[in-house]
Amino acid sequence: MRSKVVLARLVRNRQARYGSIALLLLVLLAYVGPFFGQYEWTDKDFMAFLSPPSADHWWGTTTIGQDMYAITLRGMQKSIIIGLLTALIATTLAAIVGAFAGYFGGWVDRVLMWGVDLLLVLPSFLIIAIVSPRLKNASWLWFVVLLAVFAWMITSRVVRSMTLSLREREYVQAARYMGIPQWKIIFRHVVPNLSSLLIIDATLNVSGAVIGEAALSFFGFGIQPPDVSLGTLIAEGARNATGYPWLFVFPSGMLVALVLSINLIGDGLRDALDPGSNT
Amino acid sequence: MSPILEVNDLTVTFPGGIQAVRGVSYQVSRGEVLGIVGESGSGKSVTSLAVMGLLPKNAVISGSVRLHGRELLGMDEDELVRVRGKAISMIFQDPLSAFTPVYTIGDQLAEAVRIHQKVGKDKAFKRAIELLDLVGIPHPTVRAKAFPHEFSGGMRQRAMIAMAIANDPDLLICDEPTTALDVTIQAQILDVLKTAQRETGAGIVMITHDLGVIAGMADRVLVMYAGRPVEEGRVDDIYYRPRMPYTMGLLASIPRVDGAEGPLVPIEGAPPSPKNLPPGCPFAPRCPMRIDACEQEEPPLVTIGDGRHVACIRSREIEHKNLSSTDVYPVPVIPPSDIQRVPREQRAKVLELDNLVRHYPLMKGAVFKRRVGTVHAVDGISFDIVEGETLALVGESGCGKTTTLQQIMQLEPPQDGRIVVLGKDSAKLDKASRKALRRDLQIVFQDPMAALDPRMPVGDIVAEPLRAHGQKNVSAKVVELLELVGLAAEHAERYPQHFSGGQRQRIGIARALALEPKVLVLDEPVSALDVSIQAGVINLLEELKNRLGLSYLFVAHDLAVVRHLADRVAVMYLGRIAEIGTVENVYDRPAHPYTQALLSAIPLPDPEMERTRKRIILEGDLPSPADPPSGCRFRTRCPKFARLSEHERRRCVEEEPVVIKLANAVDHGAACHYAEEIEVIPASDDLEEK
Ligand code: SF4
Ligand code: SF4
């Protein structure tokens, strides 16, 4: 019943509709767009270094003659997946760890929060720096996991403290008296009542992951040249943003569009889940 | 005599076009008590806030408010404070908000005295002590040096009254002054208010939803509905000869401790939201006397007879034909139950408590917690419930009734004693059988909003217990349940917040009934609801019990509701049972001094009886359950103890009384060494048209 009602509300929600259409278009652009360009992302046009957007190179070229259109889209393919996946993993982890710690209390709480605090004080950058060379040849999906693992702790602390008050609510008590298993109560009554927070957290995590990945790539971990991501492109383009704006504008424009569409979907989802809003 | 306060055509509109008050007029003279009654959202509190000038800036106020002939609306702030401060005082529901936590009560009282009177500090403090003495605070000299948080709720309310009368005001506005208090404390406070009025000769505006309180206090009554007065008149006229269907319904829908039998008469539906009022009479959607003309325009408040005003186009007809509420409202028929014909001894026991004990450690210290004592929340109580029976557990806050209920619901082994549900001892249950037993033992909570997950559609809420116990095709059952409690199938897709309080409680009941339990625990199921809605839920509970053969354990503090719903009643005091027996026995012939005080403290919605009634007023507050008195726990407040001889008292101090069956009763026991049955509620024979 709940999923049906929420889905119906989601479909009726205008923000969610526009957001999903935008995201769909972006995904289409990233994966289908390259077939329409004249250049492959691996091609280098030695006749045109740093040329501004033109009929030949729609979005201009880079210092080494790569076609901006081709490599931006190539970067986007990576970044969309990295962003969405990281956000999904980080927020889910935060919700589960925080809710379990808050709901059960006692030793479960102490062990989980000890883990959270440990991860918080460890310099995450250092860990990533140590681990990622070993992952060089592994799938880059490991990199997503790594990014996610360091992005959920603060949220999980917030989730925990909110759960502390939620678990005293009468409807949670009612569920307990009904004989519903504890873990089910957490997923059915606690987490949905945290959904506003979690959705905001997830949308923030998307942009955080894309940018964070760029920072790591800059130091030589993560996405390595010649492969690209939106993050690496933006980092590179930012240096020459005034002189050669197309290097910066297109990748960052794509990132903004991506984040905006995710935000719209997030807002729509939040409204659909929140019975208080009338959409 | 010229009135102190004159309110004329007062309207208050909040941003967004919410008309909270739509034309209220009244006058109050010296020494007069005006009662304003209405349900939540009727605009009764907003009216008085507007009079006091305490509304937020964005509220648009029009009309006129005259104090001793001077217009208060539109007066500038400083002048208002000067004019109003001395002449009008206000008493709120929550006394804690009236005091600053960091100053002593005495200082704050002295301060209040000094603002409007030019007296020295010492003199002001002396006056503060006098005031505390006047409102009945024991040892006022010592207590004046205490801080607000060191006072109990009842004491704080007294201190607030002391503060309010510090400057001999001409008018006291009391906004639900006793709603948050227990009945015995409420009786004390109402007594103090009467004293205060006698001392100061002030007029009082008493705002409350409790028709019993008004009956005992007021000279005139103003009934409000949807932001407007719908009936006004002398208290006897309103109570005995109501001329407006809403007032009639309100009076017919309250359960009474003096035990008028038969089902309550509920008013259908809920009050309209101030955002979209119906075009005609605001009561029209719920009115059983509605005719087409009612919906055309809002009936004005017209004068009928001496000082009476009614806003209903059919009031003359009601007057003429002398209609009573039972003529106007359809009286619901509740089918009788078969099981009740079987004698109690032959029915199976569904719930049995044997000497149940629950103590909590009392901890102190933030970092290193150490145990400093034991809270005797429940200290050895026993009772049983048989099939098709309702046992009510009553008592004031802190008496342990909620703890008892939690102990039962948890189905865990108790600290001491036994809990037996449907023949199964809770100490001997394994996980699977505990879960199985939960099917038969369900609960309805007090606050219908808090008890329903706000993020779950109603259909899921009702289906949850079904799914938890492994039923697959639930949708048909959900519809059936919703219809059983008087809701519609299409309500399943909405969220709890789209429902009114009464409807939400019905959802809670539907959920509790989903697994077809045998025992239903009701934790104050109607205390959060408005009077007109309460009756419908009470009737529903009664009907369900009869139809489905349920047994109820009903926890409540409202003895009137208990009388209506319960077959037997157990009165609790400080974790022990003081008196237990059938409702008739306990209510008509209470034997324990506490029960007697409790029953006599309940205000009756009947002005005549209220005036002639003698109250047994208890001294002081409930002792802390961490340190109960030796021997009889009630002895510190027992009026009977005070009358006993030295020799007789020794027994109360040394020996703890146990519940003993009274000599000539079948089902009636009291825990008092000197129990004797007396009658404290005047017998009512004819309620209407006395
Ligand atoms: S005016 Fe009509 S609808 Fe309103 S209370 Fe009177 S009879 Fe009922
Ligand atoms: S035992 Fe004594 S103190 Fe206790 S209620 Fe009876 S008379 Fe009062």
Side-chain angles (χ1 to χ4, degrees), chain B residues 578 591-594 631-642 644 648-649 651-653 655-657 671-675:
Chain B
H592 194 284
Y594 177 60
C632 175
R633 294 181 177 211
F634 185 53
R635 76 182 153 84
T636 48
R637 298 170 77 197
C638 179
K640 182 152 203 175
F641 182 73
L644 292 176
E648 287 170 315
R649 279 187 191 178
R651 199 162 163 219
C652 299
V653 179
E655 190 188 329
E656 177 147 20
C672 169
H673 298 309
Y674 304 103

Side-chain angles (χ1 to χ4, degrees), chain A residues 32-278:
Chain A
V32 184
F35 297 114
F36 296 97
Q38 287 125 313
Y39 297 89
E40 287 290 310
W41 72 276
T42 40
D43 290 349
K44 292 192 182 92
D45 185 353
F46 296 109
M47 311 304 289
F49 295 128
L50 282 177
S51 75
S54 63
D56 193 22
H57 295 284
W58 295 338
W59 291 2
T61 58
T62 66
T63 14
I64 50 171
Q66 288 163 306
D67 182 51
M68 266 315 276
Y69 177 75
I71 61 167
T72 304
L73 296 192
R74 166 78 190 177
M76 223 159 91
Q77 293 174 5
K78 278 271 151 61
S79 286
I80 288 177
I81 294 179
I82 290 179
L84 292 183
L85 226 54
T86 309
L88 196 71
I89 296 173
T91 304
T92 311
L93 209 59
I96 291 176
V97 171
F100 272 77
Y103 184 86
F104 287 108
W107 66 268
V108 178
D109 183 28
R110 272 196 298 276
V111 169
L112 287 176
M113 283 304 116
W114 182 78
V116 165
D117 289 341
L118 190 75
L119 279 177
L120 269 177
V121 294
L122 280 183
S124 51
F125 216 80
L126 210 71
I127 304 276
I128 294 181
I130 294 169
V131 178
S132 50
R134 282 162 212 279
L135 296 178
K136 272 250 156 82
N137 304 318
S139 153
W140 55 275
L141 281 175
W142 277 108
F143 185 64
V144 168
V145 173
L146 214 55
L147 270 174
V149 159
F150 287 98
W152 59 277
M153 290 84 72
I154 300 204
T155 314
S156 89
R157 280 214 153 255
V158 179
V159 167
R160 172 182 169 270
S161 64
M162 287 172 78
T163 307
L164 284 181
S165 79
L166 281 177
R167 78 165 173 198
E168 301 301 328
R169 298 280 164 89
E170 275 180 356
Y171 57 82
V172 173
Q173 231 176 56
R176 238 177 269 160
Y177 290 155
M178 255 175 250
I180 294 174
Q182 313 273 25
W183 61 270
K184 248 192 196 155
I185 296 182
I186 293 181
F187 285 112
R188 204 180 287 161
H189 295 290
V190 176
V191 175
N193 280 290
L194 298 167
S195 58
S196 301
L197 168 85
L198 294 175
I199 287 167
I200 293 172
D201 179 65
T203 49
L204 287 177
N205 273 344
V206 171
S207 44
V210 172
I211 302 291
E213 169 268 318
L216 286 176
S217 305
F218 182 74
F219 288 102
F221 319 113
I223 307 291
Q224 290 308 311
D227 210 341
V228 289
S229 71
L230 276 189
T232 53
L233 287 173
I234 291 169
E236 203 139 311
R239 273 178 285 163
N240 303 320
T242 41
Y244 314 101
W246 61 91
L247 293 185
F248 179 68
V249 167
F250 291 107
S252 50
M254 284 298 118
L255 177 62
V256 169
L258 180 66
V259 169
L260 271 180
S261 68
I262 302 273
N263 276 348
L264 278 176
I265 296 175
D267 280 353
L269 195 60
R270 201 184 56 205
D271 284 349
L273 281 168
D274 181 3
S277 74
N278 301 311

Side-chain angles (χ1 to χ4, degrees), chain A residues 1-6 9 169-181 184 188-190 192-193 195-196 270 272-278, chain B residues 406 409-410 435 438 441-443 445-447 449-457 459-461 464-465 467-469 492-493 495 497-498 511 515 523:
Chain A
M1 179 69 77
R2 167 146 66 192
S3 39
K4 208 177 84 194
V5 174
V6 169
R9 286 171 65 101
R169 298 280 164 89
E170 275 180 356
Y171 57 82
V172 173
Q173 231 176 56
R176 238 177 269 160
Y177 290 155
M178 255 175 250
I180 294 174
K184 248 192 196 155
R188 204 180 287 161
H189 295 290
V190 176
N193 280 290
S195 58
S196 301
R270 201 184 56 205
L273 281 168
D274 181 3
S277 74
N278 301 311
Chain B
Q406 281 170 351
M409 285 314 293
Q410 272 160 12
K435 183 164 177 179
R438 290 204 187 282
L441 180 69
Q442 292 285 318
I443 184 167
F445 288 94
Q446 170 176 18
D447 180 352
M449 192 69 226
L452 306 176
D453 188 338
R455 297 266 169 144
M456 241 193 196
D460 272 349
I461 291 178
E464 190 169 19
R467 295 205 180 106
H469 286 265
E493 286 190 13
Y495 287 97
Q497 66 186 62
H498 299 137
R511 172 174 66 182
L515 292 168
D523 183 6

Side-chain angles (χ1 to χ4, degrees), chain B residues 25 114 568 577:
Chain B
S25 309
R114 274 162 58 85
R568 297 177 77 231
I577 287 182

